[in-house]
Amino acid sequence: MSSGRYRALDAISAASAPSPSPLARVHSLISSPSPLSTLRSLVAGGSSRRTLALVVGAVGGLLVVFAVVHRGQAHGLVAGLSSGRGRYGAARAYGDMLARNLRNQEPQTALSEQMRDGVDFLTGMLQSNQLLALINLLFLGKELGRTVIVPPLTAIHFGGQHRPFHLVYDLPRFHLLTGVQAIPMSLFKTPGDPDNVEERVTCWSLMEKYTGAVNAHAIETGLEEHGLYTDFWAVPAFRRSSEGAVLEVGPIIDFLRNRTAQLDWVETTRRELLPQKPLPKGVDAASVDPENNLKPFFDPLHGVPPTEDEQLMCVDATFYIGDSVPPPPYPQHVPLDPWRVGRAWKEVGQHLHWLPEVQEYADEYLQGMFGVKRTKDIPPFISVHVRRGDFKDFHGNTFTPLSSYVAAVEDVRSRLQDRLDHPPSPAEREGRPPLERFAVPPSEYAVVATTDEQPGSDLFAELDKLGWHVVDHGEMRTAERLGEWYPSMLDGEILSRGQGFVGTQWSTFSMLSGNRVEYWRGGIQVVANPRSGV
Ligand SMILES: *[C@@H]1O[C@H](CO)[C@@H](O)[C@H](O)[C@H]1NC(C)=O
């Protein structure tokens, strides 16, 4: 039934790749009994490098599957892994973590059969702005000391296909950097398995508190593919911060940590029959029967409260909490407001790196773009994210003009020069690396742009006229060769390589790319003025 999306994804991959499709292999790998046991035996005894790479792939990202399928050999990947600092250690630590958290070496048909006794878990639903929601979910896991069961990512922009988290991000590396225990849902239950037991989980509804309605998107968010069905429970009136843009994360953590407070609150919701629909103007509250005025999807009288399950906690939406949401518009040349890079970004978000294979493809694309043979010969550049797509409909019926990006690039050049001339002290850098110095000054750095505009549109010619390099996935046939997920993964990786970054207002993709430039390279980020090119 729900495996349709996976089949669709298989079909897309199979359309270009040699058969069998990567996803089919991934599925057999995920559902095969081997990854954990192989890893354990590896940890216990010696193994060849190639086996090691296979194990790293099986557990950490199924890299070899892709390498084999896409390149015909895994050799480059093995080399890549061994040159990557701490990769082997990361895989081992991640495998140990899995063994501590999971009861069995293969996915089960019910979560309860796979969650190890004595370990507390947290899961949630990712819907819009999934990566920001995910960063917050992982941050909650860290704060609550719970292992995060990570739902699959959904391709909102190309047909809603799901992709397990570990096929996008480097989970072993993330675990090593943060200590956060994050495990893809597909290691608990195999998506689309007809034998999956249908399970219900009651989620604390942060979304109801923020938007007034629950996150009734379990299908889109991939939970139902795993046989997980959601019910919802009201949360207390958490206060807002950041000009009302978010529910403040601190009190939410306090509540989710405090069982007494939760039990008290459940009593309150039952007594007062919460959450109630707002009363229409002029209607007397005394004339309304609260039982008939409950919000849809809530049943505090007969429902199972989240407190019933002490081992698994669920929150229905994490996009709206803490400090990781897009800010109100800011004028050009104002650094992105610090509340966008709050604790969730600093402690968790910045440590999500793409799979090594994505980084390797980015190397190839950049080498091709600059006509160089070695990665270290790729010249320094400023990256620019020109977000178009549906933005015209949302934001004043106009795109950010190109002249604004041009002005912002010039601004980034002078800020970069200034930073090289006056390097911040380690204390001022707060963990960010120092900006690298090159043979050419920032005024001569190249510019590399990515855009979601359709291949062949005028924009490509206009960017070309500026002398900018443009990542052209149409010309590179990225989606056909590597799969539908690759254009945006590669764009994200390539943008993050900039010494400086120019983003598009309101784009969370821009925000994350800019943060990466800042936190991975010590670079400068600026948002192009959406109104006019001053
Ligand atoms: C937990 O909540 C209860 C009830 O609201 C409160 O009295 C108590 O102080 C809280 N405990 C902690 C550790 O915050």
Side-chain angles (χ1 to χ4, degrees):
M1 148 202 91
S2 51
S3 63
R5 288 197 185 83
Y6 272 87
R7 285 206 207 93
L9 193 48
D10 279 350
I12 286 171
S13 309
S16 59
S19 61
S21 75
L23 253 288
R25 292 199 190 195
V26 166
H27 286 161
S28 65
L29 247 179
I30 290 176
S31 55
S32 79
S34 59
L36 265 179
S37 55
T38 318
L39 190 100
R40 287 217 187 88
S41 63
L42 170 81
V43 172
S47 235
S48 75
R49 293 179 96 202
R50 197 181 173 88
T51 314
L52 188 54
L54 279 163
V55 171
V56 171
V59 175
L62 304 156
L63 314 172
V64 171
V65 174
F66 281 90
V68 168
V69 169
H70 293 303
R71 296 185 167 184
Q73 41 89 13
H75 188 258
L77 190 77
V78 174
L81 282 169
S82 44
S83 68
R85 289 172 303 279
R87 283 276 159 67
Y88 294 145
R92 191 174 304 126
Y94 192 72
D96 289 349
M97 187 275 282
L98 290 181
R100 283 197 306 277
N101 281 275
L102 304 177
R103 277 158 62 145
N104 304 282
Q105 295 167 359
E106 321 89 49
Q108 300 295 299
T109 54
L111 280 183
S112 53
E113 290 166 26
Q114 188 63 325
M115 298 189 297
R116 201 174 261 288
D117 290 344
V119 182
D120 292 332
F121 293 88
L122 171 72
T123 196
M125 304 164 73
L126 309 177
Q127 197 207 345
S128 60
N129 291 287
Q130 298 168 82
L131 188 55
L132 296 183
L134 180 66
I135 288 171
N136 282 334
L137 183 67
L138 294 169
F139 179 63
L140 281 185
K142 179 174 194 238
E143 291 292 303
L144 300 173
R146 286 177 176 266
T147 297
V148 181
I149 303 177
V150 186
L153 299 169
T154 306
I156 294 165
H157 297 296
F158 47 90
Q161 288 124 5
H162 298 150
R163 186 168 176 96
F165 181 58
H166 60 297
L167 297 185
V168 179
Y169 295 102
D170 186 340
L171 279 187
R173 188 175 178 189
F174 174 73
H175 175 58
L176 202 67
L177 290 168
T178 63
V180 175
Q181 320 210 64
I183 304 177
M185 193 172 272
S186 55
L187 290 188
F188 290 79
K189 296 174 85 170
T190 306
D193 184 344
D195 292 335
N196 275 341
V197 176
E198 295 191 357
E199 298 172 279
R200 300 205 75 89
V201 53
T202 306
C203 304
W204 292 111
S205 184
L206 296 171
M207 186 146 163
E208 188 276 326
K209 192 50 61 194
Y210 189 86
T211 70
V214 294
N215 187 359
H217 291 270
I219 299 178
E220 290 93 325
T221 54
L223 263 62
E224 292 192 359
E225 230 168 34
H226 295 78
L228 290 183
Y229 297 85
T230 40
D231 297 305
F232 301 95
W233 206 273
V235 295
F238 295 123
R239 64 172 183 264
R240 293 185 178 224
S241 61
S242 299
E243 299 164 31
V246 290
L247 298 171
E248 200 174 315
V249 70
I252 293 174
I253 291 169
D254 289 343
F255 176 76
L256 296 179
R257 246 188 211 148
N258 186 336
R259 193 163 162 78
T260 312
Q262 291 167 35
L263 290 167
D264 286 354
W265 170 250
V266 166
E267 284 318 305
T268 304
T269 58
R270 285 180 162 153
R271 199 171 52 243
E272 300 179 13
L273 296 178
L274 301 176
Q276 289 282 304
K277 286 189 269 198
L279 292 177
K281 255 206 193 95
V283 172
D284 180 8
S287 71
V288 175
D289 177 0
E291 219 172 313
N292 295 328
N293 194 47
L294 270 166
K295 285 197 174 173
F297 296 102
F298 291 92
D299 188 355
L301 279 182
H302 316 97
V304 179
T307 43
E308 290 279 294
D309 191 338
E310 291 192 51
Q311 193 179 19
L312 176 63
M313 176 181 281
C314 174
V315 284
D316 74 339
T318 41
F319 174 57
Y320 307 98
I321 66 173
D323 31 33
S324 295
V325 297
Y330 285 91
Q332 187 184 22
H333 301 175
V334 172
L336 301 179
D337 195 270
W339 66 261
R340 301 168 97 186
V341 286
R343 290 181 60 202
W345 168 261
K346 285 182 185 162
E347 295 179 24
V348 172
Q350 66 159 313
H351 300 296
L352 281 172
H353 296 263
W354 280 279
L355 294 180
E357 65 179 40
V358 177
Q359 302 178 31
E360 288 175 14
Y361 282 121
D363 287 340
E364 280 179 17
Y365 274 53
L366 288 168
Q367 284 166 26
M369 183 179 277
F370 289 108
V372 298
K373 289 212 167 61
R374 297 175 305 182
T375 305
K376 63 175 189 180
D377 294 330
I378 296 168
F381 59 87
I382 292 164
S383 56
V384 182
H385 176 229
V386 183
R387 170 77 161 85
R388 294 238 160 141
D390 52 10
F391 265 34
K392 199 169 192 166
D393 302 334
F394 293 157
H395 302 296
N397 274 323
T398 171
F399 292 132
T400 299
L402 220 46
S403 53
S404 287
Y405 293 100
V406 172
V409 165
E410 291 313 308
D411 187 42
V412 167
R413 289 189 196 283
S414 67
R415 284 166 184 253
L416 285 171
Q417 186 61 57
D418 188 56
R419 183 162 294 183
L420 288 173
D421 293 344
H422 311 280
S425 70
E428 286 164 334
R429 281 194 270 115
E430 292 182 353
R432 281 164 283 197
L435 183 64
E436 198 177 337
R437 189 183 290 275
F438 293 87
V440 290
S443 59
E444 291 171 31
Y445 287 179
V447 178
V448 173
T450 73
T451 178
D452 59 339
E453 196 76 306
Q454 286 306 305
S457 85
D458 292 347
L459 181 65
F460 285 83
E462 290 167 37
L463 294 171
D464 191 52
K465 222 182 287 168
L466 292 170
W468 295 3
H469 300 266
V470 189
V471 182
D472 188 340
H473 293 297
E475 191 184 44
M476 297 298 289
R477 298 182 56 251
T478 306
E480 294 94 314
R481 290 187 305 125
L482 305 178
E484 293 276 1
W485 280 80
Y486 261 84
S488 63
M489 290 197 293
L490 273 174
D491 283 355
E493 173 63 25
I494 288 170
L495 290 171
S496 78
R497 302 282 184 98
Q499 301 300 310
F501 172 78
V502 172
T504 300
Q505 194 67 274
W506 299 293
S507 163
T508 51
F509 195 82
S510 274
M511 169 190 145
L512 290 162
S513 298
N515 284 356
R516 291 185 187 113
V517 164
E518 194 181 320
Y519 278 76
W520 293 357
R521 321 224 171 273
I524 298 276
Q525 56 170 328
V526 154
V527 173
N529 186 342
R531 296 290 166 235
S532 67
V534 180

